Amino acid sequence: MLKTYSYNQLDQAKIQELTNRNTDPNNAIQDTVSAIINEVRTHGDAALKSYAVQFDKVELEKLYLDASDIEELAMGISRDQMRALEIAFQNIHQFHSYQTKRERTVETMPGVSCWRELRPIEKVGLYIPGGSAVLPSTLLMLGIPARIAGCKEIVVCSPPQNNGKINGFVAYCLKLLRIERVYLVGGAQAVAAMAFGTESIPKVNKIFGPGNQFVTKAKSLIQGITDVSIDMPAGPSEVLVIADESANPAYIAADLLAQAEHGIDSQAVLATTSTVIAEQVNEELSKQLAILPRKELAAKALDNSYIVVCDDLISCMNFSNAYAPEHLIIESDQWKSLVNKVQNAGSVFLGHLTPESAGDYASGTNHTLPTSGYARSYSGVSVDSFVKKITFQHITEQGLEQIGSTVEILAELEGLQAHKNAVSIRKKA
């Protein structure tokens, strides 16, 4: 089912070809998204309601649901489902709560003290996808660190369902997060609305959340034309599995399909040391795919996926680092020896009993991660994503004596006399 390549026979150009994804060679996506951004910027709420008809097939009288609407929808889910969301909430909160530790004050010279303090980003926008799959887990992954960070205003956008409302599971997560309004806007238009603000939707300082290629492109364009920043380029989901002879082919196939069922532009890659494992995984994919409710979507994603057969685990690791996957699963008895070899990955899942879906929902780590090779330079979402780290310093009289002449000399050699004077005038006082 999956195309198979031999790592030894791949030259650098072919590796580059295999590791490229989600490109927009003819700028078709960019042109479409640019038009949407301009329409929302110009026409505000009217544009958003028009796009709801066009893309979501629903006419909206208003673009949001308030606390009473959210409460009613949230109470429509079962107690078991509530409990599962509560456990996920608790685990995610516990993991992220350890990310706020205050840094030490450093005395770089006697009398010269420097330190950093955290300050929350005041207004953040959270985009929660709601196309072919509704993702309440994403709301937890974004809302919890935003709450821990202390963000004053949290704006949530999610596409409306065909009844003009949101999913009950998303509503229950809003209750857990104490968020009393959700905006019924999806796609690139949601990103534009949060970036510019409309009659209904407030402008934010930073936009978070995964999405399809249109959402990802909108975030990239917005960052270049406004003063609004983004968390990262987080587009279609992807996984790379490293496996050797100790791996279970059924587990591997299940992990590959778990990503493939996200959508047709997702990608699932296997790097293995065993041709036998490769063959068995293909057999398992056929069996498991046949009974999936989303098998049509998953099958199309698998058409864009592949297997790379390597001589050893180090070669598998080298290919993985070149690919820089959003999710990396190491299904080998030797996983401990590979941990320090991981250079580029969004989130890593170690051993035979650690499926990526555990991280998607409830282990505690964040599932909003860099895709499309951006794991080479970006981290996943954390509390750090929702704060600014401001540096402070204080210099005493002793400190000025210690550091003053150094600053004067450096300012003078750069030809910046006023910089020098700012020190000299204090030394004379």
Side-chain angles (χ1 to χ4, degrees):
M1 181 178 292
L2 294 183
K3 298 180 288 291
T4 301
Y5 302 91
S6 171
Y7 184 70
N8 285 339
Q9 296 175 8
L10 300 178
D11 58 19
Q12 194 57 44
K14 186 61 177 178
I15 291 175
Q16 184 69 43
E17 179 186 331
L18 288 175
T19 56
N20 280 341
R21 58 266 200 206
N22 301 326
T23 55
D24 184 22
N26 299 317
N27 291 325
I29 293 175
Q30 179 168 316
D31 292 345
T32 299
V33 170
S34 293
I36 291 172
I37 290 172
N38 290 334
E39 189 71 12
V40 173
R41 186 178 192 177
T42 304
H43 299 291
D45 283 0
L48 298 178
K49 291 178 179 178
S50 176
Y51 284 129
V53 173
Q54 181 179 345
F55 296 127
D56 305 308
K57 312 303 180 188
V58 60
E59 290 191 20
L60 298 174
E61 291 184 12
K62 61 178 184 177
L63 290 169
Y64 57 86
L65 300 176
D66 277 333
S68 59
D69 303 308
I70 292 169
E71 177 74 22
E72 180 182 352
L73 291 166
M75 292 302 100
I77 69 174
S78 73
R79 182 56 200 152
D80 284 345
Q81 292 165 337
M82 291 179 184
R83 183 59 182 151
L85 291 169
E86 289 164 4
I87 291 171
F89 181 99
Q90 291 163 6
N91 288 352
I92 297 164
H93 193 284
Q94 183 175 356
F95 178 76
H96 287 76
S97 65
Y98 283 88
Q99 298 170 8
T100 59
K101 292 182 179 179
R102 181 171 179 173
E103 298 178 12
R104 291 176 52 197
T105 297
V106 179
E107 190 173 57
T108 56
M109 300 179 76
V112 181
S113 299
C114 304
W115 69 97
R116 296 199 304 177
E117 293 188 14
L118 304 182
R119 296 291 185 272
I121 297 171
E122 291 183 281
K123 299 180 180 180
V124 297
L126 314 183
Y127 178 69
I128 313 303
S132 61
V134 179
L135 303 177
S137 56
T138 296
L139 179 53
L140 295 180
M141 296 292 177
L142 299 176
I144 289 170
R147 278 291 182 219
I148 291 172
C151 299
K152 291 182 180 178
E153 187 170 359
I154 301 174
V155 176
V156 178
C157 287
S158 191
Q161 297 187 309
N162 55 17
N163 62 358
K165 298 182 179 180
I166 57 168
N167 182 279
F169 309 118
V170 173
Y172 193 70
C173 291
L174 289 168
K175 273 179 56 67
L176 292 174
L177 292 162
R178 307 187 313 279
I179 295 172
E180 298 184 342
R181 178 170 288 194
V182 59
Y183 295 94
L184 303 170
V185 186
Q189 58 271 31
V191 175
M194 291 187 284
F196 295 108
T198 71
E199 298 91 330
S200 297
I201 301 177
K203 182 182 186 299
V204 302
N205 304 125
K206 188 173 183 179
I207 296 173
F208 296 78
N212 59 23
Q213 294 187 61
F214 292 88
V215 171
T216 304
K217 181 64 70 174
K219 288 167 67 179
S220 297
L221 290 175
I222 284 298
Q223 186 167 235
I225 61 175
T226 71
D227 59 355
V228 177
S229 62
I230 65 170
D231 51 354
M232 73 189 82
S237 192
E238 60 196 36
V239 67
L240 189 147
V241 178
I242 291 177
D244 61 10
E245 294 80 356
S246 67
N248 186 321
Y251 295 178
I252 298 170
D255 290 333
L256 296 174
L257 289 169
Q259 292 307 300
E261 74 173 349
H262 272 292
I264 61 174
D265 50 3
S266 296
Q267 191 170 58
V269 177
L270 169 61
T272 180
T273 60
S274 169
T275 55
V276 174
I277 288 289
E279 293 168 1
Q280 292 174 335
V281 167
N282 268 330
E283 292 172 4
E284 281 291 334
L285 284 171
S286 296
K287 293 178 188 177
Q288 295 183 30
L289 178 64
I291 59 173
L292 288 180
R294 295 166 65 87
K295 60 185 178 183
E296 289 82 8
L297 290 176
K300 291 180 180 178
L302 291 180
D303 288 341
N304 298 318
S305 303
Y306 56 87
I307 297 172
V308 176
V309 178
C310 305
D311 287 342
D312 50 44
L313 287 172
I314 297 301
S315 296
C316 291
M317 196 71 254
N318 290 339
F319 182 80
S320 175
N321 283 328
Y323 185 91
E326 176 190 20
H327 306 102
L328 170 61
I329 305 175
I330 303 179
E331 300 197 35
S332 167
D333 290 343
Q334 308 302 317
W335 63 265
K336 289 183 181 179
S337 68
L338 295 180
V339 169
N340 65 353
K341 304 286 193 303
V342 178
Q343 186 67 36
N344 302 319
S347 192
V348 185
F349 304 81
L350 302 168
H352 303 296
L353 301 180
T354 315
E356 182 275 325
S357 50
D360 262 356
Y361 294 112
S363 66
T365 60
N366 208 289
H367 79 198
T368 307
L369 303 164
T371 67
S372 308
Y374 284 104
R376 300 182 188 98
S377 55
Y378 281 85
S379 306
V381 162
S382 67
V383 174
D384 283 351
S385 308
F386 291 88
V387 300
K388 304 160 291 185
K389 296 184 178 181
I390 304 174
T391 58
F392 293 82
Q393 53 203 282
H394 176 255
I395 300 175
T396 65
E397 184 176 350
Q398 179 191 21
L400 190 62
E401 291 175 0
Q402 291 278 332
I403 202 172
S405 61
T406 298
V407 176
E408 288 175 313
I409 291 169
L410 293 175
E412 192 169 51
L413 69 85
E414 290 191 351
L416 299 175
Q417 187 63 40
H419 280 63
K420 178 184 178 182
N421 291 346
V423 173
S424 300
I425 197 171
R426 286 173 166 82
K427 290 174 67 178
K428 295 173 183 177

